Amino acid sequence: PASSLDELVALCKRRGFIFQGSEIYGGLQGTYDYGPLGVELKNNLKQAWWRRNVYERDDMEGLDASILTHRLVLHYSGHEATFADPMVDNRISKKRYRLDHLLKEQPEEVLRRLYRAMEVEEGNLHALVQAMMQAPERAGGAMTAAGVLDPATAEPGDWTPPRYFNMMFKTYVGPVEDEASLAYLRPETAQGIFVNFKNVLDSTSRKLPFGIAQIGKAFRNEITPRNFIFRVREFEQMEIEYFVRPGEDEYWHRYWVEERLRWWQEMGLSRDNLVPYEQPPEELAHYAKATVDILYRFPHGLEELEGIANRTDFDLGSHTKDQEELGITARVLRNEHSTARLAYRDPDTGKWFVPYVIEPSAGVDRGVLALLSEAFTREELPNGEERIVLKLKPQLAPIKVAVIPLVKNRPEITEYAKRLKARLQALGLGRILYEDTGNIGKAYRRHDEVGTPFAITVDYDTIGQSKDGTSRLKDTVTVRDRDTMEQIRLHVDELEGFLREKLRW
Ligand code: ATP
């Protein structure tokens, strides 16, 4: 695995996986652009998720809701009031930080002084932040007195009282920029699923339990985007809302934690680097009955890759009309605007109720970062040289096969290689690249670095002009394996079977 983020950032830029957004104008912080190989890797990951969660199941429907979202959706979901992170400013350096991130980076003795000043049991950072937000004036003073360091300057700061900052991006829909035209870029894809619950149910006649799956962009105005594509302002999520009968929720919650852990391992992440973390009661969001985060050992630390929450009837209960008739258990805002009953009529009893929901919510970009980090390998070769290999699962690799002519100046060889590329491309296994840009050794090295699992070389033997004067190797090619670097010789007619076997899910 990668030992640092810098190593991955460098590879991503050098080989065309990921670039800084708006780079030529100095970059737009918290945005990244996926390059020629990055887009393939990301698409492969999303397709694998979709295949597993939609196509291979018989209890799931897909959805692609819009990014621009009506203000009332995010009002009743609770985002307008509470989708905020605690923020604090250093009056000296004018730098701004997310409070919990800032505290995590402090030396122990500084933190100890702060715990004491705020009268919070030492070691419980979550409780400390809460105490500080409840007494912001005192907290600002305590931070300054405790000598909280500014990471930018490594000097103690003069800290303002911390305050909440709402992370939603606002925009205006239509030509007039006023209150009435205010809309949001969605901060999560989930709300699009909840508000379409009735549409999906009515159009598919689903019975509980069933789920709705969605992949798409989400936007959060993070106070301090950082750690490459780990924390950004524009990212993608892969989310499932799985609707169940109250009472069956705990079973399904456990089920989805196991299922998601299994899936990430199938994507190539090792079990040792995946850590399920059960949120203690004091950390739970008010609507969640239980949440298990799947943490991954990223190069910058053990951090959240996916969260799996039991959200009870909070979401449908928040957005439904007829709230008082439905026996909602969660604490929801009184909804005076919704035009739909987001509930389920029990086919046996005829009684209406609001289903509970289990939400596995994964970040695509964090997934890509985890895959890259896990796959990154430095190897010493027998001849003493070093190579970098990206040991991605072949199914996820941006390029499946490189077809390389041994020489560039023999039309019989290059034309053969081009025809072979077209033939393999038609199999629909992903991107097959015809490659005649350098010497063979260099091409192999490059494809090792970007994770291409197979390199096929077309040579004199292939066109029936072997050194021994025979044509017995006609129509055979060499296939080089990325990980073992071993080469085998196959007849071109065997390639389809070989590749299908190696690349099937
Ligand atoms: P964090 O605590 O790291 O800010 P979160 O708990 O707010 O994350 P959720 O709201 O649970 O995150 O979002 C679900 C998933 O979306 C996360 O597990 C993560 O993979 C992804 N995600 C959330 N925020 C970001 C971000 N700013 N950049 C990239 N991915 C993100």
PDB file of all heavy atoms in Angstrom, residues 9-22:
ATOM      1  N   VAL A   9      -0.756  11.243  -4.884  1.00  0.00           N
ATOM      2  CA  VAL A   9      -1.038  12.475  -5.627  1.00  0.00           C
ATOM      3  C   VAL A   9      -0.105  12.563  -6.830  1.00  0.00           C
ATOM      4  O   VAL A   9      -0.534  12.870  -7.946  1.00  0.00           O
ATOM      5  CB  VAL A   9      -0.868  13.723  -4.721  1.00  0.00           C
ATOM      6  CG1 VAL A   9      -1.020  15.005  -5.524  1.00  0.00           C
ATOM      7  CG2 VAL A   9      -1.873  13.683  -3.570  1.00  0.00           C
ATOM      8  N   ALA A  10       1.166  12.259  -6.601  1.00  0.00           N
ATOM      9  CA  ALA A  10       2.158  12.344  -7.678  1.00  0.00           C
ATOM     10  C   ALA A  10       1.846  11.344  -8.791  1.00  0.00           C
ATOM     11  O   ALA A  10       1.871  11.689  -9.977  1.00  0.00           O
ATOM     12  CB  ALA A  10       3.562  12.095  -7.114  1.00  0.00           C
ATOM     13  N   LEU A  11       1.531  10.125  -8.418  1.00  0.00           N
ATOM     14  CA  LEU A  11       1.197   9.111  -9.433  1.00  0.00           C
ATOM     15  C   LEU A  11      -0.047   9.529 -10.216  1.00  0.00           C
ATOM     16  O   LEU A  11      -0.112   9.403 -11.443  1.00  0.00           O
ATOM     17  CB  LEU A  11       0.968   7.750  -8.773  1.00  0.00           C
ATOM     18  CG  LEU A  11       0.483   6.656  -9.723  1.00  0.00           C
ATOM     19  CD1 LEU A  11       1.628   6.156 -10.603  1.00  0.00           C
ATOM     20  CD2 LEU A  11      -0.149   5.489  -8.982  1.00  0.00           C
ATOM     21  N   CYS A  12      -1.038  10.024  -9.495  1.00  0.00           N
ATOM     22  CA  CYS A  12      -2.307  10.405 -10.133  1.00  0.00           C
ATOM     23  C   CYS A  12      -2.126  11.510 -11.160  1.00  0.00           C
ATOM     24  O   CYS A  12      -2.739  11.508 -12.214  1.00  0.00           O
ATOM     25  CB  CYS A  12      -3.324  10.843  -9.077  1.00  0.00           C
ATOM     26  SG  CYS A  12      -4.006   9.437  -8.194  1.00  0.00           S
ATOM     27  N   LYS A  13      -1.245  12.450 -10.821  1.00  0.00           N
ATOM     28  CA  LYS A  13      -0.992  13.551 -11.748  1.00  0.00           C
ATOM     29  C   LYS A  13      -0.148  13.063 -12.929  1.00  0.00           C
ATOM     30  O   LYS A  13      -0.448  13.327 -14.092  1.00  0.00           O
ATOM     31  CB  LYS A  13      -0.281  14.671 -10.984  1.00  0.00           C
ATOM     32  CG  LYS A  13       0.403  15.691 -11.839  1.00  0.00           C
ATOM     33  CD  LYS A  13      -0.365  16.981 -11.869  1.00  0.00           C
ATOM     34  CE  LYS A  13       0.423  18.014 -12.696  1.00  0.00           C
ATOM     35  NZ  LYS A  13      -0.399  18.966 -13.342  1.00  0.00           N
ATOM     36  N   ARG A  14       0.907  12.320 -12.624  1.00  0.00           N
ATOM     37  CA  ARG A  14       1.852  11.872 -13.648  1.00  0.00           C
ATOM     38  C   ARG A  14       1.169  11.004 -14.693  1.00  0.00           C
ATOM     39  O   ARG A  14       1.409  11.129 -15.877  1.00  0.00           O
ATOM     40  CB  ARG A  14       2.957  11.079 -12.937  1.00  0.00           C
ATOM     41  CG  ARG A  14       4.089  10.618 -13.820  1.00  0.00           C
ATOM     42  CD  ARG A  14       5.272  10.133 -12.994  1.00  0.00           C
ATOM     43  NE  ARG A  14       5.068   8.828 -12.385  1.00  0.00           N
ATOM     44  CZ  ARG A  14       5.048   8.596 -11.085  1.00  0.00           C
ATOM     45  NH1 ARG A  14       5.185   9.599 -10.233  1.00  0.00           N
ATOM     46  NH2 ARG A  14       4.865   7.383 -10.613  1.00  0.00           N
ATOM     47  N   ARG A  15       0.285  10.133 -14.251  1.00  0.00           N
ATOM     48  CA  ARG A  15      -0.304   9.165 -15.172  1.00  0.00           C
ATOM     49  C   ARG A  15      -1.723   9.512 -15.604  1.00  0.00           C
ATOM     50  O   ARG A  15      -2.339   8.770 -16.368  1.00  0.00           O
ATOM     51  CB  ARG A  15      -0.305   7.775 -14.517  1.00  0.00           C
ATOM     52  CG  ARG A  15       1.077   7.207 -14.296  1.00  0.00           C
ATOM     53  CD  ARG A  15       1.850   7.123 -15.604  1.00  0.00           C
ATOM     54  NE  ARG A  15       3.114   6.417 -15.428  1.00  0.00           N
ATOM     55  CZ  ARG A  15       4.090   6.420 -16.325  1.00  0.00           C
ATOM     56  NH1 ARG A  15       3.941   7.098 -17.466  1.00  0.00           N
ATOM     57  NH2 ARG A  15       5.196   5.764 -16.107  1.00  0.00           N
ATOM     58  N   GLY A  16      -2.261  10.608 -15.090  1.00  0.00           N
ATOM     59  CA  GLY A  16      -3.559  11.040 -15.603  1.00  0.00           C
ATOM     60  C   GLY A  16      -4.749  10.411 -14.916  1.00  0.00           C
ATOM     61  O   GLY A  16      -5.757  10.110 -15.553  1.00  0.00           O
ATOM     62  N   PHE A  17      -4.660  10.218 -13.611  1.00  0.00           N
ATOM     63  CA  PHE A  17      -5.840   9.774 -12.873  1.00  0.00           C
ATOM     64  C   PHE A  17      -6.657  10.972 -12.358  1.00  0.00           C
ATOM     65  O   PHE A  17      -7.855  11.051 -12.582  1.00  0.00           O
ATOM     66  CB  PHE A  17      -5.442   8.908 -11.665  1.00  0.00           C
ATOM     67  CG  PHE A  17      -5.085   7.485 -12.010  1.00  0.00           C
ATOM     68  CD1 PHE A  17      -3.779   7.140 -12.326  1.00  0.00           C
ATOM     69  CD2 PHE A  17      -6.054   6.498 -12.021  1.00  0.00           C
ATOM     70  CE1 PHE A  17      -3.446   5.825 -12.647  1.00  0.00           C
ATOM     71  CE2 PHE A  17      -5.738   5.180 -12.333  1.00  0.00           C
ATOM     72  CZ  PHE A  17      -4.438   4.849 -12.654  1.00  0.00           C
ATOM     73  N   ILE A  18      -5.978  11.855 -11.652  1.00  0.00           N
ATOM     74  CA  ILE A  18      -6.700  12.939 -10.973  1.00  0.00           C
ATOM     75  C   ILE A  18      -5.863  14.220 -10.991  1.00  0.00           C
ATOM     76  O   ILE A  18      -4.664  14.196 -10.699  1.00  0.00           O
ATOM     77  CB  ILE A  18      -6.998  12.543  -9.506  1.00  0.00           C
ATOM     78  CG1 ILE A  18      -7.868  11.279  -9.475  1.00  0.00           C
ATOM     79  CG2 ILE A  18      -7.692  13.690  -8.760  1.00  0.00           C
ATOM     80  CD1 ILE A  18      -7.916  10.583  -8.138  1.00  0.00           C
ATOM     81  N   PHE A  19      -6.536  15.327 -11.338  1.00  0.00           N
ATOM     82  CA  PHE A  19      -5.879  16.640 -11.362  1.00  0.00           C
ATOM     83  C   PHE A  19      -6.626  17.606 -10.431  1.00  0.00           C
ATOM     84  O   PHE A  19      -7.823  17.449 -10.196  1.00  0.00           O
ATOM     85  CB  PHE A  19      -5.911  17.233 -12.774  1.00  0.00           C
ATOM     86  CG  PHE A  19      -5.449  16.273 -13.843  1.00  0.00           C
ATOM     87  CD1 PHE A  19      -6.320  15.906 -14.877  1.00  0.00           C
ATOM     88  CD2 PHE A  19      -4.172  15.752 -13.827  1.00  0.00           C
ATOM     89  CE1 PHE A  19      -5.905  15.024 -15.875  1.00  0.00           C
ATOM     90  CE2 PHE A  19      -3.750  14.871 -14.828  1.00  0.00           C
ATOM     91  CZ  PHE A  19      -4.620  14.503 -15.852  1.00  0.00           C
ATOM     92  N   GLN A  20      -5.922  18.624  -9.975  1.00  0.00           N
ATOM     93  CA  GLN A  20      -6.578  19.700  -9.226  1.00  0.00           C
ATOM     94  C   GLN A  20      -7.616  20.372 -10.128  1.00  0.00           C
ATOM     95  O   GLN A  20      -7.351  20.622 -11.295  1.00  0.00           O
ATOM     96  CB  GLN A  20      -5.501  20.703  -8.801  1.00  0.00           C
ATOM     97  CG  GLN A  20      -6.039  21.987  -8.196  1.00  0.00           C
ATOM     98  CD  GLN A  20      -6.654  21.760  -6.814  1.00  0.00           C
ATOM     99  OE1 GLN A  20      -5.973  21.345  -5.905  1.00  0.00           O
ATOM    100  NE2 GLN A  20      -7.952  22.019  -6.687  1.00  0.00           N
ATOM    101  N   GLY A  21      -8.785  20.699  -9.584  1.00  0.00           N
ATOM    102  CA  GLY A  21      -9.808  21.393 -10.362  1.00  0.00           C
ATOM    103  C   GLY A  21      -9.380  22.827 -10.669  1.00  0.00           C
ATOM    104  O   GLY A  21      -8.768  23.486  -9.835  1.00  0.00           O
ATOM    105  N   SER A  22      -9.678  23.296 -11.870  1.00  0.00           N
ATOM    106  CA  SER A  22      -9.338  24.665 -12.309  1.00  0.00           C
ATOM    107  C   SER A  22      -7.856  24.979 -12.124  1.00  0.00           C
ATOM    108  O   SER A  22      -7.470  26.104 -11.815  1.00  0.00           O
ATOM    109  CB  SER A  22     -10.176  25.717 -11.563  1.00  0.00           C
ATOM    110  OG  SER A  22     -11.547  25.442 -11.670  1.00  0.00           O
TER     111      SER A  22
END
